[in-house]
């Protein structure tokens, strides 16, 4: 049963192994028995011969009674390490000499008991021999040595075992070879059948190694498998062709679906790109159209303002002695100034305002604006200025950029309801090609960024889209003109820059302005000249409740030459005024004791003395004349503590400002100032298609001492150029423009001064120097431009 389910190979090997083991055991047993007997015989004979030899060698020692010689002969056995001891006995059986190994633990018998011959005991063998001399017994020789039969037998058996194992391995190898020759073909056929059943692979074949019955069986099986394989391959080809058809159909469907999805995606992307491009184009066209419209309106508006302003200046000069008329004229001139400012904002949006760009570092510009911003925004707005290191320079009009920062900061203040955090940041940036693709109006390169951020209410997208349109505002009626952002947009575009608004509802707004970098050194910032300390002989009423401060102020003002009267409270000051005393200046503290406030006292005093100048002083930042950190309109204030020089300059400025309002300088006197007087009068050709403006301007020039003739077109002016010393022309003329007229005038006579009157920056388009007279202009500006024109062409 054990071998029933074993393979032929295992059975063959088991038979060979069993036969080999039995043969080896029989051989080893026989050789062990033989070696046992042989070893005993040889070892006994060896010891007996050794005993006889040593015994004969010790006969002289026994004859001459020399134990030392006998001992010496016995010690010759030291070279036999297996000899444990040896003893020499005399004929009486008494020990005469002996030798004992170092490791021999047994004591020798002092007397020879018997002739033992041979004794084997406890792994030792003892051999005794009689010693005869000429047939006479002279003694006994006894040698005890290690028997070592078992060790010998163990070593011998070990060797036999190793040899047997080696022989067994050799027999197994031979059996393996025989098994391969006999049983391997059968096993191959059996293994082939098993693999075909388990794997279903009919391409497997058995190798035919013999030509006997087994070889015939292998050939038959291989033939059967070939037939089955051919049938399976035909079936597989049919299934594969069907699968390929299904796969091709699925691939085609997938490709069609992907193509459809990709087409839809491209259509969507292209539609979105077209929509954005169309939106940007429409926005650009709309802003450009509005810019052209506002530019044209501003130009005509400036002409109208120029006519009004010039006539008002003529009336002011003619009625200089009539105070009520002057009050009306001043109000009208204020309206003209306001209109001029509005026109300037429109021109800024239209990118036609005259700029004076200089190389500027925005870090220095924002640093110089810190105090101005804090006064304009109030204390409730926290202002933070973050300046980028190593900031590049830009080419901008400093005054216009300051206006932009101020306007954007005021817009931010309004968006934060006068409470929040305002951040002004500058840094160097690189606008790459990817940014330029998203913003077609931008050229990739190096820029300096100016960002103004607030924590206000933010703007929705629809408001951002219209933020740069003129007059568009989300503020209430009367709270804004809607020109702040449009003016900013025009200035940035005119300066070659880029502006972008980022805003989130309830999170705030950031306006980022990008100016192109320039590689020029910054031009020095102009230093404001501090006026000299001047006194006067005017009368001043000082109202101060602190007697020490009152005395100090009185001493300062007396030292400056003023006439000083003092009061300790508001009511006392009113009492002095009601007594009929007149003063040129009221200098009062804001916080005063008593029921009457200083601000109310000042209003009553102003009603009683209309020409009275008023200057407040206070050590407080919140008081009756300051609201939200900003001074009320028309109020002058000097903060405590102040220095002597500051007080002197402030009082002089307030008094002179009040004098100019009440007694304006006649235009005729102003035109006679040394700075504005021309070295020699000249004949001026005024080219203006608006006849009313032309007539008014000619009248102004005649008042300045010039002879003026007019022309309504450039073609008419060309015929009169040789008769005049100076050409003053408008830009927009019927037919030939004023620019073309200036070019032809310069070609005829390069030394002839040319003045272009326009509200837009047109002088920069000319290849030669001209003077620009901005509209609307005053008499003083006109006189100054004429002076510069004649001096410029006069040469050094």
């Amino acid at each position: 049963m054990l071998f029933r389910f074993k393979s032929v190979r295992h059975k063959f090997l088991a038979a060979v192994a069993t036969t080999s083991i039995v043969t080896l055991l029989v051989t080893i047993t026989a050789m062990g028995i033989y070696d046992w007997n042989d070893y005993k015989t040889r070892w006994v004979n060896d010891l007996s011969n050794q005993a006889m030899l040593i015994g004969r060698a010790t006969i002289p020692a026994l004859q001459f009674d020399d134990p030392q010689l006998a001992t010496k002969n016995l010690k010759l056995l030291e070279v036999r390490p297996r000899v444990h001891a040896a003893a020499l006995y005399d004929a009486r059986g008494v020990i005469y000499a002996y030798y004992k190994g170092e490791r021999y633990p047994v004591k020798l018998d002092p007397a020879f008991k018997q002739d033992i011959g041979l004794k084997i005991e406890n792994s030792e063998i003892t051999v005794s021999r009689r010693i005869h001399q000429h047939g006479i017994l002279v003694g006994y020789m006894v040698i005890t040595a290690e028997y070592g039969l078992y060790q010998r037998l163990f070593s011998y058996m070990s060797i036999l075992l190793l040899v047997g194992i080696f022989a067994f391995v050799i027999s197994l190898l031979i059996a393996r070879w025989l098994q391969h020759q006999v049983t391997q073909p059968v096993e191959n056929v059996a293994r082939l059948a098993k693999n075909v059943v388990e794997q279903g692979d009919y391409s497997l074949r058995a190798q035919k190694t013999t030509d006997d019955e087994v070889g015939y069986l292998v050939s038959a099986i291989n033939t059967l498998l070939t037939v089955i394989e051919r049938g399976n391959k035909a079936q597989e080809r049919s299934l594969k062709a069907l699968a390929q058809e299904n796969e091709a159909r699925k691939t085609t469907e997938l490709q069609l679906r992907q193509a459809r999805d990709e087409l839809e995606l491209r259509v969507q992307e292209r539609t979105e790109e077209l929509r954005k491009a169309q939106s940007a184009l429409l926005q650009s066209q709309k802003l450009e159209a509005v810019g052209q419209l506002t530019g044209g309106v501003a130009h005509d508006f400036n002409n109208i303002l120029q006519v009004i302003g010039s006539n008002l200046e003529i009336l002011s000069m003619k009625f200089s002695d009539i105070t009520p008329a002057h009050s009306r004229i001043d109000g009208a001139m204020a309206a003209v100034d306001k209109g001029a400012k509005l026109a300037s904002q429109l021109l800024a949006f239209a990118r036609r305002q005259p700029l004076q760009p200089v190389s500027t570092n925005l870090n220095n510009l924002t640093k110089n604006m810190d105090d101005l911003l804090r006064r304009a925004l109030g204390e409730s707005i926290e202002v933070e200025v973050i300046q980028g290191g190593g900031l590049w320079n830009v080419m901008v009009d400093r005054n216009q950029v300051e206006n932009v920062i101020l306007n954007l900061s005021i817009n931010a203040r309004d968006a934060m309801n006068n409470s929040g955090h305002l951040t002004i940041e500058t840094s160097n940036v690189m606008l790459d090609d990817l940014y330029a693709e998203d913003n077609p109006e931008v050229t990739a390169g190096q820029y300096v960024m100016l960002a103004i951020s607030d924590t206000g209410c933010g703007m929705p997208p629809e408001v951002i889209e219209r933020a740069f349109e003129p007059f568009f505002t989300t503020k209430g009626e009367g709270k804004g003109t809607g020109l702040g952002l449009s003016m900013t947009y025009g200035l940035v575009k005119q300066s070659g820059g880029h502006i972008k608004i980022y805003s989130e509802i309830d999170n705030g707004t950031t306006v980022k302005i990008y100016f192109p970098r320039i590689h020029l050194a910054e031009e020095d910032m102009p230093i404001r000249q501090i006026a000299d300390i001047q006194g006067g002989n005017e009368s001043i009423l000082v109202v101060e409740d602190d007697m020490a401060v009152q005395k100090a102020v009185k001493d300062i003002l007396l030292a400056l030459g003023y006439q000083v009267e003092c009061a300790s409270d508001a009511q006392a000051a009113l009492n002095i005024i009601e007594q009929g005393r007149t003063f040129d200046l009221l200098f009062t503290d804001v916080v005063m004791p008593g029921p009457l406030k200083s601000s109310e006292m000042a209003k009553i005093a102003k009603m009683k003395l209309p020409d009275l100048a008023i200057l407040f002083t206070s050590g407080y930042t919140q008081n009756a004349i300051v609201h939200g950190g900003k001074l009320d309109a028309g109020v002058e204030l000097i903060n405590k503590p102040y220095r002597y020089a500051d007080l002197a300059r402030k009082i002089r400025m307030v008094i002179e400002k009040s004098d100019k309002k009440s007694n304006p300088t006649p235009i005729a006197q102003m035109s006679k100032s040394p700075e504005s007087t021309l070295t020699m009068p000249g004949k001026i050709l005024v080219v203006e298609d608006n006849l009313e403006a032309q007539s008014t301007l000619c009248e102004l020039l005649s008042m300045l001492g010039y002879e003026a003739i007019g022309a309504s077109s450039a073609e008419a002016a060309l015929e009169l150029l040789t008769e005049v010393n100076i050409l003053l022309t408008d830009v927009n003329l019927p037919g030939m423009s004023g620019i073309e007229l200036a070019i032809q005038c310069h070609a005829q006579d390069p030394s002839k001064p040319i003045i272009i009157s326009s509200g837009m920056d047109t002088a920069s388009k000319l290849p030669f120097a001209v003077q620009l007279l901005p509209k609307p202009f005053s008499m003083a500006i006109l006189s100054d431009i004429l002076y510069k024109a004649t001096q410029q062409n006069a040469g050094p």
Side-chain angles (χ1 to χ4, degrees):
M1 293 298 294
L2 181 62
F3 290 96
R4 180 176 180 181
F5 298 102
K6 296 296 181 180
S7 64
V8 176
R9 175 172 58 88
H10 292 156
K11 293 176 181 178
F12 186 86
L13 290 177
V16 173
T18 301
T19 303
S20 300
I21 291 173
V22 171
T23 303
L24 288 173
L25 288 177
V26 172
T27 303
I28 290 172
T29 301
M31 292 184 67
I33 295 172
Y34 171 80
D35 186 69
W36 177 293
N37 294 327
D38 179 68
Y39 177 77
K40 179 179 179 181
T41 302
R42 286 188 293 105
W43 186 233
V44 170
N45 292 336
D46 183 48
L47 290 179
S48 296
N49 293 334
Q50 192 71 38
M52 290 298 295
L53 292 174
I54 294 176
R56 291 176 183 175
T58 57
I59 290 176
L62 290 173
Q63 290 178 346
F64 297 102
D65 193 16
D66 189 356
Q68 292 182 355
L69 178 60
T71 301
K72 182 178 180 181
N73 290 333
L74 291 177
K75 285 187 176 182
L76 294 174
L77 295 172
E78 289 180 347
V79 298
R80 302 289 298 271
R82 295 178 63 183
V83 176
H84 292 169
L88 177 63
Y89 296 89
D90 57 14
R92 295 172 300 170
V94 178
I95 189 168
Y96 183 77
Y98 68 91
Y99 158 75
K100 185 172 66 172
E102 295 179 358
R103 295 180 296 176
Y104 189 62
V106 183
K107 294 183 179 180
L108 297 174
D109 293 334
F112 185 72
K113 297 179 180 180
Q114 59 181 352
D115 187 2
I116 59 176
L118 175 64
K119 178 182 178 183
I120 297 175
E121 184 179 19
N122 296 329
S123 300
E124 288 183 338
I125 183 170
T126 302
V127 178
S128 63
R129 290 292 183 265
R130 294 180 180 182
I131 303 173
H132 293 87
Q133 176 67 25
H134 302 297
I136 300 173
L137 180 65
V138 294
Y140 299 93
M141 184 66 196
V142 180
I143 296 178
T144 301
E146 179 183 354
Y147 185 38
L149 177 62
Y150 298 107
Q151 291 81 353
R152 167 76 178 186
L153 183 60
F154 178 77
S155 300
Y156 188 74
M157 293 300 291
S158 298
I159 295 172
L160 289 178
L161 181 60
L162 292 175
V163 173
I165 292 174
F166 178 74
F168 178 72
V169 171
I170 296 299
S171 64
L172 285 180
L173 294 176
I174 295 174
R176 176 68 177 174
W177 180 80
L178 292 174
Q179 173 265 333
H180 179 74
Q181 297 296 322
V182 177
T183 65
Q184 188 64 36
V186 179
E187 289 186 352
N188 289 341
V189 173
R191 190 180 301 110
L192 173 65
K194 181 180 179 182
N195 291 336
V196 169
V197 173
E198 292 178 353
Q199 300 176 13
D201 186 2
Y202 295 96
S203 63
L204 300 176
R205 297 292 184 271
Q207 184 179 2
K208 182 179 179 181
T209 57
T210 61
D211 293 329
D212 54 8
E213 293 83 354
V214 176
Y216 178 78
L217 177 62
V218 170
S219 299
I221 292 175
N222 288 339
T223 302
L224 179 62
L225 291 174
T226 300
V227 174
I228 296 174
E229 182 185 9
R230 290 175 181 174
N232 288 341
K233 286 184 177 180
Q235 184 180 4
E236 288 177 359
R237 283 194 297 270
S238 300
L239 294 175
K240 185 176 181 181
L242 181 61
Q244 288 177 350
E245 291 179 1
N246 292 334
E247 186 67 23
R249 181 176 54 81
K250 291 180 180 179
T251 302
T252 303
E253 292 177 355
L254 179 61
Q255 290 176 350
L256 290 175
R257 186 164 54 253
Q258 291 177 347
R260 184 179 64 251
D261 295 341
E262 184 177 358
L263 179 60
E264 292 178 355
L265 180 60
R266 289 184 178 181
V267 169
Q268 292 177 358
E269 292 177 350
R270 185 58 179 166
T271 302
E272 183 65 19
E273 291 177 359
L274 291 175
R275 189 192 65 79
K276 290 182 178 180
Q278 185 178 11
S279 176
L281 179 61
L282 290 176
Q283 182 71 6
S284 176
Q285 290 176 344
K286 180 172 66 174
L287 292 178
E288 184 66 25
V290 174
Q292 292 178 358
L293 175 63
T294 55
V297 170
H299 177 266
D300 294 338
F301 192 45
N302 277 333
N303 287 336
I304 297 172
L305 291 175
Q306 180 59 58
V307 173
I308 297 173
S310 298
N311 282 287
L312 287 173
E313 286 188 332
I314 294 173
L315 291 174
S316 176
M317 183 183 65
K318 289 183 177 181
F319 298 100
S320 59
D321 297 333
I322 303 176
T323 302
H326 257 290
S327 176
R328 302 289 180 135
I329 293 173
D330 288 345
M333 288 299 297
V336 170
D337 292 339
K338 187 175 181 181
K341 182 178 179 181
L342 180 62
S344 175
Q345 291 176 332
L346 290 174
L347 288 174
F349 169 74
R351 288 173 270 177
R352 298 182 183 181
Q353 62 176 337
L355 298 180
Q356 295 179 348
V358 294
S359 178
T360 303
N361 189 285
L362 294 183
N363 279 350
N364 296 332
L365 187 143
T366 54
K367 179 173 62 177
N368 294 333
M369 291 187 64
D370 186 65
D371 293 337
L372 174 62
L373 289 174
R374 296 184 190 279
R375 288 197 301 270
L377 300 179
E379 297 176 349
S380 58
I381 301 296
E382 181 182 355
V383 180
E384 180 183 9
V385 179
I386 303 175
Q387 296 184 337
L391 197 69
W392 299 324
N393 293 335
V394 295
M395 185 66 70
V396 294
D397 188 315
R398 290 173 179 169
N399 292 330
Q400 296 297 337
V401 174
E402 288 179 350
N403 290 335
V404 165
I405 296 175
L406 184 60
N407 286 334
L408 292 178
S409 299
I410 292 175
N411 286 345
R413 179 200 65 189
D414 296 340
M416 294 185 289
N417 291 326
N418 296 322
S419 177
H421 186 91
L422 176 71
T423 303
I424 300 176
E425 181 182 1
T426 60
S427 66
N428 298 329
V429 297
M430 178 68 186
L431 300 183
D432 55 16
D433 294 333
L434 183 60
Y435 187 90
E437 289 179 2
D438 295 335
N439 300 271
E441 74 277 8
V442 177
T443 301
Q446 295 176 329
Y447 289 80
V448 177
M449 182 195 71
L450 171 64
I452 299 178
S453 305
D454 62 60
T455 57
C457 58
M459 293 186 290
E462 59 271 15
V463 173
I464 296 177
E465 290 181 0
R466 302 187 58 191
F468 296 129
E469 295 181 10
F471 304 109
F472 175 78
T473 179
T474 57
K475 300 178 182 179
E477 184 176 355
K479 294 185 178 180
T481 62
L483 290 174
L485 279 175
S486 60
M487 181 191 68
T488 301
Y489 175 85
L491 171 68
V492 172
K493 292 300 181 181
Q494 192 172 357
S495 302
H498 170 61
I499 185 171
K500 195 77 171 179
I501 299 178
Y502 303 90
S503 185
E504 293 183 7
I505 299 298
D506 297 330
N507 288 327
T509 300
T510 297
V511 179
K512 291 186 177 181
I513 300 174
Y514 302 91
F515 291 113
R517 175 192 181 182
I518 63 170
H519 298 275
L520 298 176
E522 181 186 19
E523 294 188 16
D524 295 334
M525 300 287 284
I527 301 175
R528 295 180 180 178
Q529 299 295 331
I530 300 176
D532 296 333
I533 299 175
Q534 297 179 358
N537 56 4
E538 289 85 354
S539 60
I540 301 176
L541 175 58
V542 177
V543 186
E544 175 61 62
D545 61 313
D546 190 321
M547 301 309 296
V549 175
Q550 184 186 109
K551 184 178 184 302
V553 173
K554 182 177 180 180
D555 293 341
I556 292 173
L557 296 178
L558 289 174
L560 290 171
Y562 295 106
Q563 303 175 35
V564 183
E565 185 74 24
C566 297
S568 300
D569 55 52
Q571 188 60 52
L574 275 183
N575 293 337
I576 294 175
I577 294 175
E578 289 175 351
Q579 294 175 3
R581 301 282 300 276
T582 60
F583 298 92
D584 299 296
L585 174 69
L586 172 64
F587 183 45
T588 177
D589 194 359
V590 175
V591 181
M592 300 293 292
L596 184 61
K597 296 182 179 179
S598 59
S599 58
E600 296 176 357
M601 179 269 293
K603 291 180 181 179
I604 297 173
K606 188 70 173 176
M607 293 174 61
K608 294 182 177 295
L609 300 174
D611 296 333
L612 179 66
I614 301 175
L615 174 61
F616 289 96
T617 182
S618 176
Y620 299 94
T621 56
Q622 292 286 349
N623 44 59
I625 63 169
V626 178
H627 298 91
K630 299 179 292 180
L631 282 172
D632 293 340
V635 175
E636 298 289 344
L637 173 70
I638 182 170
N639 291 316
K640 294 180 180 179
Y642 45 76
R643 296 184 180 181
Y644 171 88
D646 296 333
L647 179 60
R649 293 191 184 96
K650 189 70 173 180
I651 287 180
R652 192 73 251 161
M653 184 270 292
V654 174
I655 291 176
E656 291 179 354
K657 184 177 180 180
S658 177
D659 289 341
K660 289 178 181 179
K661 288 183 179 180
S662 59
N663 297 303
T665 303
I667 296 178
Q669 295 180 8
M670 179 177 61
S671 65
K672 294 178 182 179
S673 61
E675 182 180 356
S676 60
T677 302
L678 294 173
T679 56
M680 57 180 294
K683 192 173 183 179
I684 301 178
L685 172 60
V686 177
V687 186
E688 172 65 60
D689 59 328
N690 188 314
L691 296 180
E692 185 179 359
Q694 179 190 124
S695 176
T696 302
L697 184 55
C698 289
E699 186 175 356
L700 288 176
L701 292 173
S702 64
M703 294 173 61
L704 291 174
Y706 291 91
E707 179 183 356
I709 59 175
S712 300
S713 65
E715 290 78 7
L718 288 175
E719 300 177 359
L720 302 174
L721 283 179
T722 56
E723 303 177 9
V724 298
N725 305 105
I726 300 174
L727 171 64
L728 194 160
T729 179
D730 193 11
V731 174
N732 295 327
L733 298 172
M736 183 187 300
S737 69
I739 299 297
E740 296 174 347
L741 174 62
I743 294 175
Q744 293 195 22
C745 177
H746 181 76
Q748 292 180 12
D749 186 2
S751 63
K752 188 185 298 295
I754 300 175
I755 302 174
I756 295 180
S757 178
S758 175
M760 298 179 288
D761 183 12
T762 54
S764 60
K765 302 178 181 178
L766 296 173
F768 49 87
V770 298
Q771 291 296 325
L772 178 65
L773 180 63
K775 293 181 179 181
F777 52 83
S778 63
M779 179 73 83
I781 295 176
L782 177 60
S783 176
D784 184 59
I785 292 297
L786 289 168
Y787 174 78
K788 291 181 179 178
T790 55
Q791 291 299 312
Q792 172 183 326
N793 288 70

